[in-house]
């Protein structure tokens, strides 16, 4: 292997060390076992073909790495460097995409995201069934367009995971016990991008009752800005951000349908390089207003549902400091009941 290619490998190893130290998901030791050779001649011949192809692509990746390094040293523009970087990345993926151990580890969810081939496979896994389920539920449960126009949101580029009460990540749209969300959720945003970018994390209720207007409206429960996410730092470090709105636990009122609680990672302006400090926000603003005012873009999104139980009354008492409301259906008008609420005498004339 050429010295330059070893340099890229060293950088990959450094990034891997960063991943392990940043608190992101730690890759487990591979459990792959190489099938025995010398048993099936066809299998042995197939291995030779795969190894020859992989070696060829590895040599091309080395050449692409050298070309990229030369362009960097000569001060090439960012567009040209981006194309060369993508060329090297694609060849590095091709050189290992048919490796049995790599494919085995990917099927087990055991990704080493310091290596291009695992980055590619994890991105493709996300763009498959998980993304399809997410978009299906966002639309079927009217999270979109109730919160934002689906045409504005498009397809989320990053995979957002929500964990409540120390439990595993929940499926989008899952029904949860409000007591499990008494503390802020743990959020992981897999961005598939090595460049650190600043994001704003927001959680809101799309179904907060509004008595004045006799309808439901949005209500923000939590906003934290200036959170940095990258391929090597996917878990939200809330302490490092700027909390614009303190966390309020979900409190779906008695008598209301199940509420939809949405957690959104919004990339901040200038490609995630602009900060948001000291912004004036309100729990009663809408997501459309917030996104438009600060030039934000949806990077990742997920949500869960919660309905009233007895633990909700504790939130009203201990956190909000107010009596727990009770809602119910409007009484059905009856021709036998007068304006004073008393039964009409059949001989009276109203």
């Amino acid at each position: 292997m050429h010295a330059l290619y070893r340099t890229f490998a060293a950088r990959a190893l450094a990034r891997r060390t960063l991943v392990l130290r940043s608190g992101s998901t730690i890759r487990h030791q591979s459990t792959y076992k190489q099938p025995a050779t010398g048993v099936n001649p066809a299998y042995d011949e197939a291995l030779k073909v795969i190894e020859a192809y992989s070696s060829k692509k590895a040599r091309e990746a080395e050449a692409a790495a050298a070309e990229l390094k030369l362009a960097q040293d000569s001060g090439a523009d960012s567009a040209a460097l981006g194309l060369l970087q993508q060329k090297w990345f694609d060849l590095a993926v091709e050189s290992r995409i048919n490796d049995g151990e790599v494919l085995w580890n990917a099927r087990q969810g055991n990704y080493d995201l310091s290596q291009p081939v695992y980055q590619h496979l994890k991105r493709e896994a996300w763009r498959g069934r998980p993304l399809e389920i997410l978009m299906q539920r966002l639309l079927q449960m009217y999270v979109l367009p109730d919160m934002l126009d689906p045409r504005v949101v498009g397809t989320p580029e990053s995979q957002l995971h929500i964990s409540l009460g120390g439990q595993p990540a929940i499926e989008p749209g899952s029904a949860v016990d409000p007591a499990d969300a008494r503390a802020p959720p743990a959020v992981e945003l897999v961005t598939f991008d090595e460049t650190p970018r600043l994001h704003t994390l927001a959680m809101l209720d799309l179904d907060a009752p509004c008595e004045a207007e006799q309808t439901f409206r949005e209500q923000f429960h939590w906003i934290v800005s200036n959170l940095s996410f990258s391929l090597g730092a996917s878990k939200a470090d809330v302490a490092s951000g700027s909390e614009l709105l303190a966390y309020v636990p979900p409190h779906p009122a008695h008598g209301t349908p199940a509420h939809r609680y949405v957690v959104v990672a919004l990339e901040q302006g200038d490609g995630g390089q602009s900060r948001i400090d000291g912004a004036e926000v309100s729990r009663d603003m809408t997501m459309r207003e917030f996104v438009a005012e600060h030039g934000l873009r949806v990077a990742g999104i997920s949500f869960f549902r919660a309905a009233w139980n007895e633990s909700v009354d504790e939130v009203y008492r201990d956190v909000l400091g107010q009596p727990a409301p009770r809602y119910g259906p409007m009484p059905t008008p009856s021709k036998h009941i007068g304006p004073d609420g008393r039964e009409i005498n059949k001989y009276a004339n109203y």
Side-chain angles (χ1 to χ4, degrees):
M1 181 183 291
H2 297 311
L4 183 60
Y5 196 66
R6 285 199 298 270
T7 300
F8 275 87
R11 291 179 182 174
L13 180 59
R15 288 194 298 271
R16 182 182 182 187
T17 303
L18 176 62
V19 169
L20 295 178
R21 291 178 180 175
S22 66
S24 298
T25 303
I26 296 178
R27 180 173 181 262
H28 302 287
Q29 185 174 358
S30 176
T31 59
Y32 177 75
K33 294 183 179 179
Q34 175 74 37
T37 57
V39 178
N40 186 334
Y43 173 76
D44 295 344
E45 190 63 29
L47 278 182
K48 293 178 183 178
V49 173
I50 291 174
E51 289 172 359
Y53 180 80
S54 297
S55 297
K56 175 177 177 292
K57 291 300 177 181
R59 290 191 298 271
E60 292 178 6
E62 291 177 12
E67 186 179 3
L68 175 59
K69 181 64 166 60
L70 183 62
Q72 290 172 334
D73 293 342
S74 63
D77 60 69
S78 59
L81 291 176
L83 291 174
L84 291 173
Q85 176 71 23
Q86 188 62 48
K87 178 182 177 181
W88 169 77
F89 183 91
D90 292 342
L91 289 169
V93 170
E94 281 293 310
S95 69
R96 299 200 62 198
I97 194 65
N98 297 310
D99 187 306
E101 183 175 8
V102 168
L103 297 176
W104 168 267
N105 289 334
R107 283 195 294 269
Q108 305 304 312
N110 192 11
Y111 297 95
D112 178 0
L113 294 181
S114 68
Q115 300 186 37
V117 66
Y118 285 108
Q119 296 174 28
H120 169 78
L121 289 172
K122 187 169 180 61
R123 184 187 294 111
E124 290 304 305
W126 151 242
R127 288 176 175 172
R129 187 61 176 161
L131 179 57
E132 179 183 342
I133 291 175
L134 171 65
M135 296 306 298
Q136 181 186 63
R137 294 179 182 177
L138 288 172
L139 295 170
Q140 285 184 343
M141 299 187 190
Y142 300 102
V143 172
L144 304 177
D146 286 358
M147 185 183 72
L148 288 170
D149 189 329
R151 295 169 296 182
V152 173
V153 175
T155 302
E157 297 175 357
S158 304
Q159 186 174 17
L160 189 146
H161 299 290
I162 307 172
S163 300
L164 299 172
Q167 301 176 11
I170 61 175
E171 287 284 331
S174 298
V176 306
D177 187 330
D180 292 337
R182 189 68 182 263
V187 177
E188 182 178 13
L189 184 70
V190 182
T191 65
F192 308 107
D193 188 352
E194 294 181 359
T195 304
R197 300 180 189 276
L198 295 178
H199 293 72
T200 294
L201 192 63
M203 174 175 155
L204 69 158
D205 178 4
L206 295 182
D207 304 297
C210 177
E211 294 185 53
E213 299 179 6
Q214 290 293 298
T215 186
F216 297 99
R217 58 173 172 79
E218 299 172 39
Q219 185 177 71
F220 278 80
H221 281 247
W222 193 33
I223 301 179
V224 183
S225 65
N226 304 324
L227 293 173
S228 180
F229 290 101
S230 66
L231 187 63
S234 60
K235 292 192 175 180
D237 181 10
V238 176
S240 68
S242 305
E243 190 172 63
L244 304 181
L245 276 182
Y247 181 75
V248 172
H251 46 278
H254 181 280
T256 62
H259 292 216
R260 297 162 296 168
Y261 294 93
V262 188
V263 178
V264 191
L266 302 158
E267 184 181 293
Q268 295 173 197
D270 193 21
Q273 304 307 312
S274 295
R275 293 182 58 86
I276 299 177
D277 293 303
E280 293 185 5
V281 294
S282 166
R283 296 196 186 275
D284 296 328
M285 64 184 177
T286 67
M287 179 61 79
R288 285 176 168 84
E289 294 169 345
F290 184 57
V291 167
E293 181 178 353
H294 298 285
L296 304 173
R297 182 182 67 84
V298 175
I301 182 172
S302 190
F303 72 106
F304 60 90
R305 295 173 294 138
W308 178 90
N309 62 23
E310 293 181 353
S311 70
V312 172
D313 291 348
E314 298 176 4
V315 176
Y316 277 97
R317 183 189 67 230
D318 302 336
V319 179
L320 301 177
Q322 63 186 61
R326 294 290 188 268
Y327 296 98
M330 294 289 292
T332 304
S334 172
K335 64 180 180 180
H336 302 294
I337 303 298
D340 57 2
R342 301 173 63 182
E343 185 176 359
I344 298 175
N345 187 317
K346 65 181 179 179
Y347 299 107
N349 183 19
Y350 281 90

